[in-house]
C-alpha cells in the first residue's frame, strides 16, 4: 500500500521552503515542473508518494533540494518573485488538507518578512537542482593539492605543557 508523504511548507515573497517529513528516504524520485511536484520514495520499508499542483508557478531551474537523514528539504523559487504570499500551497484547496501543513518553525507573517530575513539555507548546501544531477567535482571541500593549510593552523602548545605552565604561574596550585 502506498502512503501519502507528509509535507510541511513555509514561504517568503520570492520563494517556498518545503520539507517532506520522512526519515531515511531511499529510492526517491522528485520531479518539479513550474506547475507540479511529484514525489515517490521509500521510508522505513513503506512506499510514499505525493503529487501536488502549485497554487502559482515556480521556477524549477532556480530551485534546489537535498535528501537529509530526517527529511527531504526543498527551496523553490516563485516565478513571480514580488507577488503576494500564496494563501495555500496547492490550487485545489480541498487537497491542501491531506498531508500538507504549515512549517511553523520557518513561518513568518507577510508583514514580518523583512525582520525575519530569508530562509536558512544551510541544510541545502551541496544540494541538487531539479532536472540535473549532482556534479561531484564541483562540491568544494578538501583539496589535497592545497599546501597553504587553514589560516588558524598555527603552532599551538600541547595541552599538557599548557596546563603545566598554568599551574606554575597560579599561586593557588603551588605547594
Amino acid at each position: 500500500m502506498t502512503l501519502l508523504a507528509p509535507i510541511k511548507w513555509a514561504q517568503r515573497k520570492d520563494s517556498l521552503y518545503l520539507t517532506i517529513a520522512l526519515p531515511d528516504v531511499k529510492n526517491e524520485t522528485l520531479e518539479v515542473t513550474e506547475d507540479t511536484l511529484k514525489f515517490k520514495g521509500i521510508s522505513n520499508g513503506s512506499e510514499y508518494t505525493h503529487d501536488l499542483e502549485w497554487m502559482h508557478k515556480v521556477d524549477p531551474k532556480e530551485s534546489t533540494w537535498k535528501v537529509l537523514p530526517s527529511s527531504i528539504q526543498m527551496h523553490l523559487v516563485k516565478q513571480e518573485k514580488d507577488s503576494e504570499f500564496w494563501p495555500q500551497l496547492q490550487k485545489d484547496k480541498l487537497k491542501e488538507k491531506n498531508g500538507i501543513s504549515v512549517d511553523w518553525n520557518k513561518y513568518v507573517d507577510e508583514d514580518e518578512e523583512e525582520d525575519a530575513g530569508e530562509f536558512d539555507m544551510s541544510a541545502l548546501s551541496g544540494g541538487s537542482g531539479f532536472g540535473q544531477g549532482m556534479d561531484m567535482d564541483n562540491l568544494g571541500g578538501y583539496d589535497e593539492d592545497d599546501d597553504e593549510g587553514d589560516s588558524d593552523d598555527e603552532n599551538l602548545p600541547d595541552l599538557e605543557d599548557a596546563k603545566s605552565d598554568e599551574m606554575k604561574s597560579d599561586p593557588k596550585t603551588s605547594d
Side-chain angles (χ1 to χ4, degrees), residues 72-163:
I72 296 175
Q73 306 280 318
M74 290 177 265
H75 180 249
L76 301 153
V77 177
K78 295 177 179 177
Q79 278 192 1
E80 295 178 27
K81 292 182 174 55
D82 291 327
S83 67
E84 302 274 323
F85 267 40
W86 296 3
Q88 65 221 28
L89 184 61
Q90 295 193 79
K91 269 189 180 176
D92 187 344
K93 191 173 187 172
L94 294 176
K95 290 183 177 178
E96 192 79 13
K97 299 177 192 268
N98 293 324
I100 297 176
S101 62
V102 173
D103 188 340
W104 294 110
N105 293 327
K106 295 183 180 4
Y107 176 84
V108 296
D109 281 326
E110 190 170 359
D111 58 348
E112 296 173 353
E113 180 179 18
E114 281 187 30
D115 296 336
E118 296 181 3
F119 288 115
D120 175 8
M121 302 293 289
S122 60
L124 293 171
S125 294
S128 294
F130 290 98
Q132 63 191 28
M134 286 181 64
D135 182 359
M136 300 303 278
D137 294 330
N138 292 320
L139 287 179
Y142 179 73
D143 181 4
E144 60 185 77
D145 295 331
D146 181 11
D147 292 331
E148 291 182 29
D150 291 339
S151 61
D152 62 348
D153 286 347
E154 57 188 56
N155 291 331
L156 296 174
D158 289 307
L159 290 177
E160 293 300 319
D161 293 341
K163 182 150 180 101

Side-chain angles (χ1 to χ4, degrees), residues 162-174:
K163 182 150 180 101
S164 173
D165 290 343
E166 181 181 307
M167 289 178 74
K168 288 178 189 173
S169 64
D170 187 359
K172 294 178 199 168
T173 59
S174 11

Side-chain angles (χ1 to χ4, degrees), residues 31-48:
E31 181 184 325
V32 172
T33 68
E34 61 184 21
D35 298 310
T36 62
L37 164 73
K38 293 181 188 278
F39 165 76
K40 188 185 289 186
I42 297 173
S43 174
N44 294 327
S46 298
E47 187 174 335
Y48 288 86

